[in-house]
Amino acid sequence: MLTMTQINYIRNLYYNEGKSKAEISRITKVDVKTIRKYIEKEDFNSKIVKPHNYGVSILDPFKEIIDKWIVEDKIMRKKQRHTATKVYSRLCKEHSYKGSYRTVTDYFKARKQDIWNQSSSSLPLLHSAGEMQVDFGAIQFWNKSELVDGFSLNVTFPFSNAGYIQIFRGQNQQCLFEGLINIFRHINGIPKRIWFDNMSTAVKRVSRGKERDLTDEFSRFKNHFNFDTAFCNPASGNEKGSVENKVGYLRRNLLVPAPIVDNIKSFNKRLLNMCDEDLNREHYIKGTLICDLHKLDKDNLLNLPLTEFDSSLIKILKADKCGRFILESKFRYSSAPKFAGENLRIKIGATDIIVLDSNLKEIVTHDRLYGDLPSELINWLPYLTQLSRYPRAIKYSGIYELFPLKISEQLKELNEEKEKQIFRFMAEVTEDKGFEKALQITEECLDKNISSLDNMKMYLKSRLDKYPKVEKLRLNNNQPAVKEVSPNIGVYDALLTVNRRGN
């Protein structure tokens, strides 16, 4: 069938440019009969497809059940879909159907064609209690006084219209897993079936037969929690329209104005409680409170597994000469100077990065970096502690390059003992006040030639105004009045004069 653009071109060649049907056929490579058809065509109204009129029959009470089975078959493998015979058998056994086989067959074949051939419109999907849909949405929130871009993980239960939301800086696999686990724990169960789009965190490839090759990590997650998956057809967001709508609803109602988030994990716990409060409203169609319908969802959940699932990813990365490593080609993190040049075990979570030693003991923890620009995070305590013990041993390892140029130049002029004291001082201040404050006070001390540990601590106390303030002495009313004494220092002048004359 030709497109309207092609039809317009053919009719323009014939009616406006005077080309013959044979000439038009040579130009367009379209058969002459087809050209004649569209040249002579007079009615270009859109055809209205009339729905099948099945009349009233004994099958009417069972049609919704058959429709539901046909819709559910869309996500099943071809060999596991219903046939007309299977539909008839189930109706008789499970629903006490007394009609004929032919009536079921005629309805099933026609209805299957209607549902599977829908294009411009779609049949509302029928979801059982306990089914869940998942999707990410773009958001913004305030994080440590900075307005940052982030993503919300949204889930909805179409049967009840209950929805939950979690926020993250990204939409990677760790965010997906952590968000879903938080929600599973909150509702105390696992949905039997979860609908996803073809997100790269779950699907490696959609094959020609619409089968999905799942990522190894997602397969592990799915098998651990034992839920069934359903994936939308490509570019078919309507198939999970419930969560598509919920993304906007939860963003407008729970994230406006943009929230201030100091700790994402703590905020996500509060969000789940806010979602519970939102369920105390009436369903937009069913006329029942969402929270009451959601109880039926929860009654159909699977039990939580006894073993916890670790949503983080473990990677082996090599540290540079300063003990740093790079993730995602642009984010640099520190470990400790003693690991310079060694392989590190990195535990990557949705919100944090943890460096582990060979015994899987935590060395240092960083907030996970996000964004488009290269960034760096250094935990200075391991470096300063090491430097306070062996400053000369690691002086030329490259670690000094991490300090501001002015400080590194001044440190090179000091002897080993003074270096030890300075780095010990910096370690103590960093642990108490942070590395930026330690740098500031150390630079001031070096400018004033203060390099001993005790003197640096005294200077810090003076800068922080920690000396005790002496309050003005206040006397009560019972104290006797004391005459003010004005000293006469002229007596001392006279004595001095006498002493000079005696000499």
Side-chain angles (χ1 to χ4, degrees):
M1 182 179 294
L2 301 183
T3 65
M4 285 305 301
T5 301
Q6 291 172 308
I7 294 170
N8 289 339
Y9 182 52
I10 289 171
R11 289 173 66 86
N12 181 66
L13 290 174
Y14 183 81
Y15 288 108
N16 296 331
E17 298 187 19
K19 304 290 186 183
S20 67
K21 297 180 181 68
E23 288 176 318
I24 296 173
S25 178
R26 286 194 296 271
I27 294 172
T28 61
K29 310 299 182 187
V30 176
D31 185 72
V32 173
K33 292 181 180 179
T34 303
I35 290 171
R36 183 183 300 112
K37 170 186 172 182
Y38 287 109
I39 288 175
E40 296 175 356
K41 183 177 176 67
E42 295 181 354
D43 186 2
F44 283 89
N45 285 303
S46 298
K47 289 186 178 180
I48 300 175
V49 179
K50 296 181 179 180
H52 291 281
N53 182 11
Y54 304 106
V56 178
S57 74
I58 192 173
L59 191 64
D60 285 351
F62 307 93
K63 289 179 178 178
E64 186 174 338
I65 298 171
I66 298 174
D67 289 353
K68 179 175 179 292
W69 292 344
I70 296 172
V71 170
E72 289 177 345
D73 275 352
K74 295 184 76 170
I75 63 169
M76 300 302 295
R77 296 187 179 187
K78 187 173 182 180
K79 293 182 179 180
Q80 289 182 267
R81 294 170 186 161
H82 285 81
T83 61
T85 302
K86 183 64 177 179
V87 169
Y88 176 74
S89 174
R90 286 191 67 184
L91 287 177
C92 293
K93 290 181 179 180
E94 300 174 20
H95 301 280
S96 302
Y97 172 68
K98 302 299 182 182
S100 69
Y101 172 76
R102 174 59 60 187
T103 303
V104 173
T105 302
D106 291 345
Y107 179 83
F108 174 75
K109 290 182 178 179
R111 200 71 184 102
K112 183 178 180 180
Q113 185 176 359
D114 283 348
I115 293 174
W116 282 69
N117 290 343
Q118 293 172 83
S119 55
S120 59
S121 62
S122 61
L123 183 75
L125 295 178
L126 303 174
H127 291 276
S128 302
E131 283 194 16
M132 191 174 81
Q133 297 180 355
V134 179
D135 201 8
F136 278 102
I139 61 168
Q140 287 184 310
F141 58 92
W142 292 97
N143 183 236
K144 298 178 181 178
S145 302
E146 179 186 5
L147 184 63
V148 298
D149 294 323
F151 295 89
S152 61
L153 176 70
N154 308 268
V155 308
T156 185
F157 291 81
F159 174 81
S160 63
N161 199 34
Y164 295 95
I165 183 174
Q166 297 282 270
I167 69 165
F168 298 98
R169 285 297 311 276
Q171 53 180 340
N172 51 52
Q173 204 165 62
Q174 291 72 52
C175 297
L176 173 66
F177 292 169
E178 183 175 309
L180 289 178
I181 291 172
N182 291 345
I183 294 168
F184 294 163
R185 289 174 179 166
H186 184 74
I187 62 177
N188 195 34
I190 316 296
K192 293 179 180 178
R193 174 178 289 181
I194 304 179
W195 287 72
F196 299 87
D197 59 19
N198 298 288
M199 54 180 66
S200 59
T201 50
V203 179
K204 286 191 294 188
R205 181 174 59 255
V206 180
S207 64
R208 185 172 296 178
K210 297 185 180 178
E211 295 294 328
R212 269 71 176 178
D213 292 332
L214 304 182
T215 64
D216 292 341
E217 294 80 8
F218 184 80
S219 294
R220 286 193 305 105
F221 180 78
K222 171 184 177 297
N223 291 332
H224 184 89
F225 290 100
N226 201 31
F227 58 84
D228 186 23
T229 53
F231 291 96
C232 298
N233 290 311
S236 299
N238 60 285
E239 294 181 358
K240 57 179 182 63
S242 177
V243 75
E244 297 276 352
N245 294 328
K246 191 65 71 176
V247 170
Y249 174 85
L250 292 173
R251 182 168 49 209
R252 291 190 301 272
N253 287 273
L254 300 184
L255 301 179
V256 175
I260 299 172
V261 182
D262 293 325
N263 183 286
I264 289 179
K265 291 186 177 181
S266 298
F267 184 76
N268 276 337
K269 289 181 180 179
R270 297 201 300 273
L271 268 180
L272 292 175
N273 293 327
M274 293 164 65
C275 291
D276 283 340
E277 295 175 6
D278 181 66
L279 304 184
N280 295 310
R281 56 190 176 89
E282 196 173 272
H283 191 280
Y284 65 101
I285 290 177
K286 298 180 179 179
T288 305
L289 290 179
I290 292 176
C291 58
D292 292 336
L293 292 169
H294 193 39
K295 290 177 183 177
L296 297 176
D297 284 323
K298 292 182 177 180
D299 289 341
N300 286 276
L301 297 178
L302 303 170
N303 292 328
L304 289 168
L306 297 178
T307 306
E308 294 288 333
F309 184 85
D310 188 350
S311 61
S312 59
L313 175 67
I314 301 294
K315 279 192 173 184
I316 307 297
L317 297 173
K318 188 172 183 178
D320 64 13
K321 65 179 181 179
C322 297
R324 299 170 299 181
F325 60 93
I326 296 178
L327 282 177
E328 301 173 68
S329 305
K330 56 184 175 181
F331 299 131
R332 191 191 305 268
Y333 303 86
S334 66
S335 60
K338 65 179 180 179
F339 297 108
E342 296 187 9
N343 287 329
L344 301 170
R345 291 168 177 82
I346 313 300
K347 187 176 182 180
I348 305 169
T351 58
D352 49 31
I353 302 293
I354 302 174
V355 185
L356 306 173
D357 63 15
S358 57
N359 296 317
L360 302 184
K361 181 181 177 182
E362 294 184 12
I363 301 170
V364 63
T365 299
H366 294 286
D367 290 338
R368 183 169 179 175
L369 292 170
Y370 286 94
D372 298 325
L373 300 176
S375 304
E376 182 177 59
L377 280 179
I378 297 179
N379 185 320
W380 280 98
L381 276 178
Y383 290 86
L384 296 171
T385 302
Q386 187 85 346
L387 284 165
S388 68
R389 296 171 183 166
Y390 315 106
R392 295 296 178 184
I394 59 175
K395 184 171 184 177
Y396 301 104
S397 67
I399 291 176
Y400 275 29
E401 299 171 8
L402 304 180
F403 290 97
L405 180 61
K406 183 177 180 180
I407 291 182
S408 62
E409 291 295 328
Q410 289 174 307
L411 289 172
K412 291 176 183 178
E413 304 299 323
L414 302 177
N415 61 42
E416 184 173 351
E417 185 56 36
K418 286 186 177 181
E419 277 187 306
K420 285 183 179 181
Q421 295 189 52
I422 288 173
F423 287 127
R424 182 179 169 188
F425 170 76
M426 291 182 73
E428 292 179 7
V429 178
T430 297
E431 190 166 15
D432 186 36
K433 301 294 180 183
F435 182 66
E436 294 301 320
K437 192 68 176 180
L439 278 181
Q440 177 190 343
I441 300 300
T442 301
E443 186 173 335
E444 292 177 12
C445 287
L446 291 174
D447 287 342
K448 299 178 183 296
N449 292 320
I450 302 173
S451 55
S452 73
L453 181 60
D454 290 339
N455 289 342
M456 294 181 79
K457 288 182 177 180
M458 289 296 295
Y459 179 79
L460 175 63
K461 288 182 179 180
S462 68
R463 287 283 282 106
L464 299 178
D465 194 23
K466 286 193 173 181
Y467 287 115
K469 292 184 178 180
V470 179
E471 298 256 345
K472 184 178 180 180
L473 183 63
R474 299 180 181 277
L475 302 177
N476 58 41
N477 296 330
N478 297 327
Q479 299 295 329
V482 179
K483 184 179 179 180
E484 185 177 349
V485 178
S486 300
N488 182 8
I489 62 175
V491 175
Y492 297 98
D493 293 338
L495 289 173
L496 291 172
T497 302
V498 171
N499 190 33
R500 283 198 296 273
R501 288 175 181 174
N503 291 336

